[in-house]
Each structure stands twice: as structure tokens, then as C-alpha cells.
């Protein structure tokens, strides 16, 4: 039995579950026709004030150990106690800072290249975990496994790796997240270069390691499909672009056209934000406030 928070009366895992469930009801990822070199998926519902709050609570829950590789919530590894709370508080501050006031060139660089980048990766993690429980056009089938969220901003390696079912066939979903207020097209090009490197076998070691972890938690009927050939033959590329300034999502993109997967497995996920900085500031505020609610 989990302890309940003295002020909210809510067990930490229930708080995280409620945040995730709220996101499942509020955020919609919908496929749009019109592109020829890739598939466009547009996210809506991100602007509601309650959405960044829920994302922040979820991200603290992930850092505290509440989300497993099976894309399910569990209290088994959830941090507890005063020392763990202090450790988590320190970790959150290192990732997002003490405040949302960024004035110097160094502070603005931290916001734009580390803080927002890490939170964008975390939002992608949340969207993939949501796909385990809620239908959406993020990918065509339910997610059954997700990689651990990077604990360090700009950590080397792939931003997101997951397994989903397309009918009865497992597919490796490989995501690359980018967050830029004004340069969506440039960020998409950068993401596509990572996918080109995958096509050129430069990430085989990481993908094999992730698949080995996934295999351990899959049910027997799916476990048999997991091998080195899986990521080589059945992979889906997911560039997630968080942006404010509009760019042409449906334009012919040679950088995507040249990639190995078919069009329906090159899915541009557009996370359009009306007020880019306010959104990420609100997520950061929620994270700072959530630490004493998640670890008690």
C-alpha cells in the first residue's frame, strides 16, 4: 500500500496515473493527408493550461522510477523518503533550472539547447507511453515497450526507441525530438540526418541493447520476433518537431524520401505551440512543484 501525500491525500503513483490519463484525454495526434515523402501527424490539445502541468508531473514520475520498460506504471522502483526527494529535487533543477528567468546569453543557451531539448524528449516519452493505452495516429498500433528517458540533456544516442504492433508484426519505432521556436524545417533536416545514420548502420549497438532489454519484458508470443533483424527490417522513423513558427509540413522532403522505411513509417509528428516559451516554462514550473508530491 502506497502512502498518501498529507496535503493532497493522493498516492504518488495515482497522481502520475491521473496526469497520464488526463494527457490521454486532452492531446490528440491525427494523421493528415497530402505529403508524398512522409506521413504528417499533427498534435492538438497542447495549449490547455492543464496539459503542461500534467506533462510536468509525468516527467517527475519518470525520473522517480514510476514508468517501466513495458510502458506501464509501477511503484516497485518508485523513489521514497526525504533523501530520495532531495536527490530528485537536485536532479530536476539540474535539468530545468531554478527559475524561468533566462537573461544572459549563457542562460538563454541553456534554455534553448538543454532545458527545452530534454523536456521535448520527455514529452515524446509520454506520447509513446500513452500509445500503449490510448489510440492515436502517432503510430498505427499499440506500444508494448519503451526505452528509458535520458537522464542527462543532450546525452548521446537515440532520443526514443519503442516497440509497437502493426497487426501481428512488431515494429521498432525510433524517435528524434527537436524543439525550436522558429526553425522547424532546419530541425527536421537535423532529425533526418540521425535517421540516415541509422540507415547506414551507425546505431546498431544501441538498438540491439534496447531490444535485449525489451525482450525480457515482452510476452512469449511477441518475444520470438525480437532479433537483430527486427530493427533492420521493421523500423519506423518518428521526427517529433516542437515549434511555434509554422512551416510546410506537407512539402516534399528529399531528406525523408531517401530514408529506407516506406512513407507510412516515416511519420513527422508536429507539436505546434501557440506560445513556445510559455508552454515549456509551464512544464518546468509543474516539474518543480511535483517533486514533493511524487516522492514522499
Amino acid at each position: 500500500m502506497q502512502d498518501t501525500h498529507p496535503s493532497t491525500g493522493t498516492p504518488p503513483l495515482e497522481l502520475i496515473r491521473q496526469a497520464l490519463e488526463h494527457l490521454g484525454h486532452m492531446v490528440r495526434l491525427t494523421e493528415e493527408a497530402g505529403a508524398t515523402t512522409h506521413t504528417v501527424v499533427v498534435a492538438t490539445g497542447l495549449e490547455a493550461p492543464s496539459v503542461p502541468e500534467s506533462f510536468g508531473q509525468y516527467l517527475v514520475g519518470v525520473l522517480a522510477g514510476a514508468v517501466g520498460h513495458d510502458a506501464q506504471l509501477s511503484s516497485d522502483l518508485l523513489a521514497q523518503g526525504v533523501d530520495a526527494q532531495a536527490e530528485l529535487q537536485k536532479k530536476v533543477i539540474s535539468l530545468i533550472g531554478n527559475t524561468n528567468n533566462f537573461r544572459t546569453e549563457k542562460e538563454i543557451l541553456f534554455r534553448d539547447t538543454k532545458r527545452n531539448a530534454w523536456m521535448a524528449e520527455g514529452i515524446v516519452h509520454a506520447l509513446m507511453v500513452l500509445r500503449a493505452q490510448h489510440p492515436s495516429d502517432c503510430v498505427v498500433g499499440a506500444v508494448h515497450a519503451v526505452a528509458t528517458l535520458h537522464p542527462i540533456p543532450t546525452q548521446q544516442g537515440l532520443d526514443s526507441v519503442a516497440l509497437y504492433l502493426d497487426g501481428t508484426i512488431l515494429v521498432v519505432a525510433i524517435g528524434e525530438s527537436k524543439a525550436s521556436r522558429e526553425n522547424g524545417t532546419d530541425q527536421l533536416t537535423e532529425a533526418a540526418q540521425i535517421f540516415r545514420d541509422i540507415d547506414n548502420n551507425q546505431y546498431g549497438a544501441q538498438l540491439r541493447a534496447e531490444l535485449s532489454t525489451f525482450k525480457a519484458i515482452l510476452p512469449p508470443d511477441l518475444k520470438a520476433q525480437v532479433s537483430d533483424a527486427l530493427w533492420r527490417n521493421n523500423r519506423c522513423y518518428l521526427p517529433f518537431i516542437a515549434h511555434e513558427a509554422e512551416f510546410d509540413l506537407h512539402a516534399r522532403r528529399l531528406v525523408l524520401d531517401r530514408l529506407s522505411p516506406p512513407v507510412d513509417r516515416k511519420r513527422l509528428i508536429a507539436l505546434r505551440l501557440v506560445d513556445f516559451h510559455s508552454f515549456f516554462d509551464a512544464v518546468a514550473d509543474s516539474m518543480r512543484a511535483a517533486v514533493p508530491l511524487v516522492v514522499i
Side-chain angles (χ1 to χ4, degrees), residues 8 68 98 104 126 155 158 187 192:
T8 66
N98 278 302
T104 68
Q155 181 173 327
L158 302 173
Q187 296 300 304

Side-chain angles (χ1 to χ4, degrees), residues 27-31 41-44 127 135-138 240 269 271:
V27 180
R28 293 285 180 267
L29 279 76
T30 307
E31 188 175 315
V41 178
V42 175
T44 55
L127 294 176
S136 82
D137 289 340
C138 181
F240 290 83
I269 316 293
L271 308 174

Side-chain angles (χ1 to χ4, degrees), residues 25-264:
H25 288 301
M26 296 294 293
V27 180
R28 293 285 180 267
L29 279 76
T30 307
E31 188 175 315
E32 288 189 354
T36 59
T37 55
H38 57 284
T39 298
V40 172
V41 178
V42 175
T44 55
L46 296 169
E47 302 301 331
S50 58
V51 167
E53 180 182 18
S54 292
F55 272 127
Q57 292 171 345
Y58 173 80
L59 292 182
V60 172
V62 172
L63 291 173
V67 184
H69 287 293
D70 58 357
Q72 302 298 317
L73 300 183
S74 171
S75 62
D76 291 349
L77 295 176
L78 184 63
Q80 298 181 53
V82 175
D83 290 343
Q85 185 183 107
E87 178 187 3
L88 181 60
Q89 184 69 45
K90 183 177 180 180
K91 182 62 182 177
V92 167
I93 296 306
S94 74
L95 289 167
I96 64 173
N98 278 302
T99 75
N100 298 328
N101 297 319
F102 303 98
R103 296 187 176 90
T104 68
E105 184 175 339
K106 182 178 180 181
E107 289 169 343
I108 292 170
L109 186 66
F110 168 78
R111 178 195 67 187
D112 292 346
T113 63
K114 293 186 178 180
R115 184 195 79 152
N116 291 353
W118 184 85
M119 286 193 288
E121 283 190 35
I123 288 165
V124 169
H125 192 276
L127 294 176
M128 298 308 293
V129 169
L130 279 172
R131 189 61 185 87
Q133 303 166 20
H134 295 268
S136 82
D137 289 340
C138 181
V139 291
V140 300
V143 166
H144 285 259
V146 291
T148 302
L149 176 62
H150 290 160
I152 302 171
T154 66
Q155 181 173 327
Q156 294 298 310
L158 302 173
D159 288 347
S160 172
V161 182
L163 288 179
Y164 71 90
L165 270 181
D166 185 351
T168 60
I169 304 299
L170 278 177
V171 180
V172 182
I174 304 170
E176 183 67 18
S177 63
K178 299 293 182 183
S180 176
R181 183 170 177 265
E182 296 183 342
N183 299 308
T185 294
D186 292 344
Q187 296 300 304
L188 177 58
T189 299
E190 287 189 22
Q193 182 55 56
I194 299 296
F195 300 136
R196 171 57 64 184
D197 290 343
I198 296 169
D199 275 1
N200 291 334
N201 299 314
Q202 294 186 32
Y203 284 89
Q206 181 181 347
L207 288 165
R208 283 189 290 272
E210 298 290 8
L211 289 178
S212 177
T213 299
F214 294 162
K215 190 166 187 174
I217 53 91
L218 288 173
D221 58 321
L222 297 180
K223 193 174 295 189
Q225 294 190 40
V226 180
S227 68
D228 184 59
L230 180 61
W231 76 266
R232 297 182 186 279
N233 299 328
N234 294 332
R235 62 183 182 268
C236 175
Y237 291 152
L238 301 168
F240 290 83
I241 311 297
H243 64 104
E244 180 178 322
E246 293 192 40
F247 67 104
D248 191 348
L249 303 176
H250 300 83
R252 181 175 175 81
R253 305 282 179 182
L254 290 178
V255 291
L256 297 179
D257 192 35
R258 296 182 181 121
L259 299 173
S260 294
V263 167
D264 65 322

